[in-house]
Amino acid sequence: MQQTFRALTLSYKVAPIAVREAVSLNEIACKNLLDKIGEFTEARDVLVLSTCNRTEVYYASEKDLSKELIKLIAIEKGFIATKDVSPYFKSITGHEEAVQHLFYVALGLESQVVGDMQIMNQVKKAYQWAADANMAGPFLHRLMHTIFAANKQVVNETAFRDGAASVSYATVELVEELTRGMENPRVLMIGVGEIGADVCDNFRKSSIRNVVIANRTHHKALELAQKTEATAVYWEQVWEEVQKAEVVVSSVPGDCFFIGKSALQNHEAGKAKFFIDLSMPRSIDAELETLEGVRVINIDNIRNRSTAALERRIASIPSVKEIVVDTVAEFQTWTKEMAMSPALQQFKSRLEEIRQQELARYLKNLGDAERAAVEAITKSMLNKIVKLPAIELKAACMRGESEELLNGLSTLFQLEKQEA
């Protein structure tokens, strides 16, 4: 089993929103990138994750493939030169560091809104795409299910998932703040993907009652509207609704839908109007702010607004990290045990070869009953002989001393050397 897991990451911590949207990947692009990585590199156990906050590739390879991966991302996004985005990518080449980073990302420790629950669903989707593309091997399968188990432990044993600290909740809080003093403000929600649906669900629990939902697929807008006590409109009415609303929230990627200044030709000068852009790439032109009374707010502006919930979550971070430390240690032990499996299998095969050679010399002189008895006895002896080294190797793995025992076993029985 390889000890060569790596990660290529670009996130909100170092990259401004313009850079993040330049390399952001939708579902089709993520799947295309998986195919390209499989075709043009030696990488295995590949996971492609792209959200509003980050674009990352996790992979196993004997060498650092950062430059190749950045080029493939650029090709998928339709540009050739990578010099403008390359400095914002970080390459994590240490195996254990890359494993821990994926744990931290999936559990929400690296999110803009700490503990944001949406990231786990995004990670699960990325894993499904990897499995569908046959890019997930035993290592990645085991790693992902270990992360899912750790997430359940975090939910059950800590306050890290308590409260309503999320981008969608922070968006609703912001809208309430912006419209304070307005009488029955009209809010337009464009897009009913995961984040759009979560925003609408949070509106249902808020003081905002006049919510309108627009989506290209009308029945999805209608279903969400019925569930959240909102109003659904046909997509053909979206521009009319943009004009009507005091607040426009968009979760539709900017490469599919874009609100420019021309959409506000009839805007009444000085009248307050707010645009909240939750999209990646952005779908609302920042130039709208040149219009009097108009304000544009992007996803970076609304992070960490849910102060009370965040304080509880932040207080739980040490407990979450302890769970990660223990779970990663267990996973690394499994990895080392898997590394010795080929050697043990070779050892058993070598003994079986010797058993068959010796049986061939003597069984021809025995009857059927005697043959069966000797076959059963020698097989039982072989299994017991193999069992003791297996137990000792497992114990050595726990102590971090398995390599010496593996080398001794390989030398004694002339086994082929296995790559780590």
Side-chain angles (χ1 to χ4, degrees), residues 129-147:
W129 300 337
D132 291 344
N134 294 319
M135 295 296 280
F139 175 86
L140 187 60
H141 284 304
R142 180 64 178 242
L143 175 57
M144 297 310 301
H145 286 281
T146 303
I147 288 172

Side-chain angles (χ1 to χ4, degrees), residues 162-407:
D162 292 354
S166 66
V167 170
S168 55
Y169 184 80
T171 298
V172 172
E173 275 197 335
L174 176 60
V175 172
E176 289 180 327
E177 180 183 311
L178 295 174
T179 59
R180 192 169 291 129
M182 292 184 186
E183 184 178 348
N184 195 27
R186 189 179 183 89
V187 178
L188 172 63
M189 181 71 236
I190 304 175
V192 296
E194 184 176 347
I195 192 168
D198 284 346
V199 170
C200 291
D201 190 53
N202 280 295
F203 272 131
R204 184 173 57 87
K205 307 165 191 174
S206 77
S207 60
I208 304 294
R209 310 312 307 158
N210 190 5
V211 178
V212 177
I213 303 172
N215 190 65
R216 288 186 187 277
T217 307
H218 182 66
H219 77 84
K220 291 183 178 180
L222 192 58
E223 288 174 4
L224 182 60
Q226 291 171 344
K227 177 184 174 184
T228 60
E229 301 172 12
T231 301
V233 297
Y234 287 99
W235 184 252
E236 290 78 9
Q237 298 172 260
V238 68
W239 296 113
E240 178 185 341
E241 291 297 329
V242 167
Q243 295 284 351
K244 289 181 180 179
E246 277 77 33
V247 180
V248 177
V249 183
S250 175
S251 64
V252 180
D255 49 6
C256 301
F257 174 77
F258 192 76
I259 301 176
K261 288 179 69 174
S262 61
L264 294 185
Q265 290 177 346
N266 300 322
H267 175 65
E268 186 178 331
K271 183 180 178 182
K273 197 173 188 74
F274 304 98
F275 289 85
I276 301 177
D277 193 348
L278 305 180
S279 311
M280 185 60 62
R282 287 171 290 179
S283 59
I284 299 174
D285 191 349
E287 287 296 308
L288 289 179
E289 287 206 328
T290 60
L291 299 173
E292 186 180 350
V294 176
R295 182 179 172 192
V296 178
I297 301 150
N298 63 44
I299 198 163
D300 284 357
N301 303 135
I302 65 170
R303 62 178 176 172
N304 295 345
R305 294 186 57 84
S306 309
T307 308
L310 279 173
E311 285 179 356
R312 291 195 296 273
R313 293 186 178 198
I314 289 170
S316 301
I317 287 177
S319 299
V320 176
K321 288 186 174 180
E322 283 183 18
I323 290 173
V324 172
V325 169
D326 293 343
T327 310
V328 168
E330 292 174 7
F331 177 74
Q332 297 294 16
T333 298
W334 172 84
T335 303
K336 291 172 183 176
E337 290 176 2
M338 288 301 293
M340 72 185 183
S341 292
L344 280 174
Q345 188 57 48
Q346 281 193 51
F347 175 50
K348 187 173 182 179
S349 297
R350 185 76 180 93
L351 293 182
E352 176 64 17
E353 182 183 334
I354 294 171
R355 188 181 78 90
Q356 291 292 347
Q357 289 173 352
E358 292 304 302
L359 288 176
R361 295 171 59 186
Y362 298 107
L363 285 183
K364 57 187 177 183
N365 298 319
L366 300 178
D368 290 342
E370 292 171 319
R371 283 171 179 264
V374 171
E375 180 78 21
I377 291 168
T378 54
K379 272 191 175 181
S380 177
M381 291 174 63
L382 186 150
N383 289 332
K384 288 181 179 179
I385 291 170
V386 172
K387 186 176 182 181
L388 184 59
I391 293 172
E392 286 299 322
L393 275 169
K394 186 170 183 178
C397 279
M398 300 295 289
R399 301 190 303 269
E401 301 170 356
S402 59
E403 189 171 345
E404 290 183 10
L405 279 178
L406 277 174
N407 288 337

Side-chain angles (χ1 to χ4, degrees), residues 24-37:
S24 69
L25 305 166
N26 58 23
E27 179 177 342
I28 293 174
C30 285
K31 291 178 177 179
N32 288 343
L33 182 59
L34 280 169
D35 291 340
K36 287 182 172 67
I37 293 172

